[in-house]
Coordinates of all heavy atoms in Angstrom, one line a residue:
Chain E
Q21 N 108.6 104.7 105.9 CA 109.4 103.6 105.4 C 110.8 104.1 105.0 O 111.0 105.3 104.4 CB 108.8 103.0 104.1 CG 109.4 101.8 103.5 CD 109.3 100.6 104.4 OE1 110.3 100.3 104.9 NE2 108.2 100.1 104.3
Y44 N 114.8 96.8 104.6 CA 113.7 97.8 104.7 C 113.4 98.0 106.3 O 113.7 97.1 107.0 CB 112.6 97.4 103.9 CG 111.9 96.1 104.5 CD1 110.9 96.1 105.4 CD2 112.3 94.9 104.0 CE1 110.3 95.0 106.0 CE2 111.8 93.8 104.4 CZ 110.7 93.7 105.4 OH 110.2 92.6 105.7
S45 N 112.8 99.1 106.6 CA 112.5 99.3 108.0 C 111.0 99.4 108.0 O 110.4 100.4 107.7 CB 113.1 100.6 108.5 OG 112.5 101.7 107.9
S46 N 110.5 98.3 108.4 CA 108.9 98.4 108.6 C 108.5 97.1 109.4 O 108.9 96.1 109.2 CB 108.3 98.3 107.3 OG 106.7 98.4 107.5
S47 N 107.6 97.4 110.4 CA 107.1 96.2 111.2 C 106.0 95.5 110.4 O 105.8 94.4 110.6 CB 106.5 96.7 112.5 OG 105.4 97.7 112.2
V48 N 105.5 96.2 109.4 CA 104.5 95.6 108.4 C 105.2 95.4 107.2 O 105.6 96.3 106.5 CB 103.2 96.4 108.3 CG1 102.3 95.8 107.2 CG2 102.6 96.6 109.6
P49 N 105.4 94.1 106.7 CA 106.1 94.0 105.4 C 105.5 94.8 104.3 O 104.2 94.6 104.0 CB 106.0 92.5 105.1 CG 105.8 91.9 106.5 CD 105.0 92.9 107.3
P50 N 106.2 95.6 103.6 CA 105.7 96.4 102.6 C 105.6 95.6 101.3 O 106.2 94.5 101.1 CB 106.6 97.6 102.4 CG 107.9 97.0 102.9 CD 107.6 95.8 103.9
Y51 N 105.3 96.2 100.3 CA 105.5 95.7 98.8 C 106.9 96.1 98.6 O 107.4 97.2 99.0 CB 104.6 96.2 97.8 CG 103.2 95.9 97.9 CD1 102.1 96.5 97.2 CD2 102.8 94.8 98.6 CE1 100.9 96.2 97.1 CE2 101.4 94.3 98.6 CZ 100.6 95.0 97.9 OH 99.2 94.6 97.9
L52 N 107.7 95.3 98.0 CA 109.2 95.5 97.7 C 109.5 95.3 96.2 O 108.9 94.4 95.6 CB 110.0 94.6 98.5 CG 109.9 94.7 100.0 CD1 110.4 93.5 100.7 CD2 110.6 95.9 100.5
Y69 N 107.8 92.0 95.1 CA 107.4 91.1 96.1 C 106.0 91.7 96.6 O 106.0 92.9 97.1 CB 108.2 90.9 97.3 CG 107.7 90.3 98.5 CD1 107.5 88.9 98.5 CD2 107.4 91.1 99.5 CE1 106.8 88.3 99.6 CE2 106.8 90.5 100.7 CZ 106.4 89.1 100.7 OH 105.8 88.6 101.8
T70 N 104.9 90.9 96.5 CA 103.7 91.4 96.9 C 103.0 90.5 97.9 O 101.8 90.2 97.9 CB 102.8 91.8 95.8 OG1 102.7 90.6 95.1 CG2 103.4 92.9 95.0
S71 N 103.7 89.9 98.9 CA 103.2 89.0 99.9 C 102.8 87.5 99.4 O 102.0 86.9 100.1 CB 102.1 89.6 100.7 OG 101.0 89.7 100.0
A72 N 103.2 87.2 98.2 CA 102.9 85.8 97.7 C 104.2 85.0 98.1 O 104.6 84.8 99.2 CB 102.5 85.9 96.2
T74 N 108.0 83.9 98.6 CA 109.1 84.7 99.1 C 110.2 84.8 98.2 O 111.1 85.7 98.3 CB 109.5 84.2 100.4 OG1 109.9 82.8 100.3 CG2 108.4 84.3 101.5
F86 N 112.6 87.4 99.8 CA 112.1 88.2 100.9 C 112.4 87.4 102.3 O 111.8 86.3 102.3 CB 110.6 88.5 100.7 CG 109.9 89.1 101.9 CD1 110.2 90.4 102.3 CD2 109.0 88.3 102.6 CE1 109.6 90.9 103.4 CE2 108.3 88.8 103.8 CZ 108.7 90.1 104.1
K87 N 113.0 88.1 103.2 CA 113.2 87.4 104.5 C 112.6 88.3 105.5 O 113.4 89.3 105.9 CB 114.7 87.1 104.7 CG 115.3 86.0 103.8 CD 116.7 85.6 104.2 CE 117.1 84.4 103.3 NZ 118.5 84.0 103.7
K88 N 111.5 88.0 106.0 CA 110.9 88.9 107.0 C 111.7 88.9 108.3 O 111.9 90.1 108.9 CB 109.5 88.3 107.3 CG 108.6 89.3 108.4 CD 107.3 88.6 108.6 CE 106.5 89.5 109.6 NZ 105.2 88.9 109.8
S89 N 112.3 87.9 108.7 CA 113.0 87.9 109.9 C 114.3 88.8 109.8 O 114.8 89.3 111.0 CB 113.6 86.5 110.3 OG 114.4 85.9 109.3
T91 N 114.3 91.4 107.6 CA 113.7 92.6 107.0 C 114.6 92.9 105.7 O 115.2 94.0 105.4 CB 113.6 93.8 107.8 OG1 115.0 94.1 108.3 CG2 112.7 93.5 109.0
S92 N 114.8 91.8 104.9 CA 115.8 92.0 103.8 C 115.1 91.5 102.5 O 114.2 90.7 102.5 CB 117.1 91.1 103.9 OG 116.8 89.8 103.9
F93 N 115.6 92.1 101.4 CA 115.1 91.7 100.0 C 116.3 91.8 99.2 O 116.3 92.7 98.3 CB 114.0 92.7 99.6 CG 113.2 92.1 98.4 CD1 112.6 91.0 98.3 CD2 113.0 93.1 97.4 CE1 111.9 90.6 97.3 CE2 112.3 92.8 96.2 CZ 111.7 91.5 96.2
A111 N 113.3 99.4 96.4 CA 112.2 100.3 96.8 C 111.2 99.5 97.5 O 110.9 98.4 97.4 CB 111.6 100.9 95.6
A112 N 110.5 100.2 98.5 CA 109.5 99.6 99.3 C 108.3 100.6 99.3 O 108.3 101.8 99.3 CB 110.0 99.5 100.8
S113 N 107.2 100.0 99.3 CA 105.8 100.7 99.2 C 104.8 100.4 100.3 O 104.6 99.2 100.6 CB 105.2 100.3 97.9 OG 103.9 100.8 97.8
N114 N 104.5 101.4 100.9 CA 103.4 101.4 102.0 C 102.4 102.5 101.7 O 102.9 103.6 101.4 CB 103.9 101.6 103.4 CG 104.6 100.4 104.0 OD1 105.7 100.3 104.4 ND2 103.8 99.4 104.2
D115 N 101.2 102.1 101.7 CA 100.1 103.1 101.5 C 100.4 103.9 100.2 O 100.3 105.1 100.1 CB 100.1 104.1 102.6 CG 99.7 103.6 103.9 OD1 98.8 102.6 103.8 OD2 100.1 104.0 104.9

Side-chain angles (χ1 to χ4, degrees):
Chain E
Q21 183 68 255
Y44 64 91
S45 69
S46 175
S47 57
V48 177
Y51 290 165
L52 294 162
Y69 166 77
T70 57
S71 74
T74 56
F86 170 72
K87 290 187 177 180
K88 184 178 178 180
S89 60
T91 60
S92 69
F93 190 57
S113 171
N114 277 119
D115 297 329

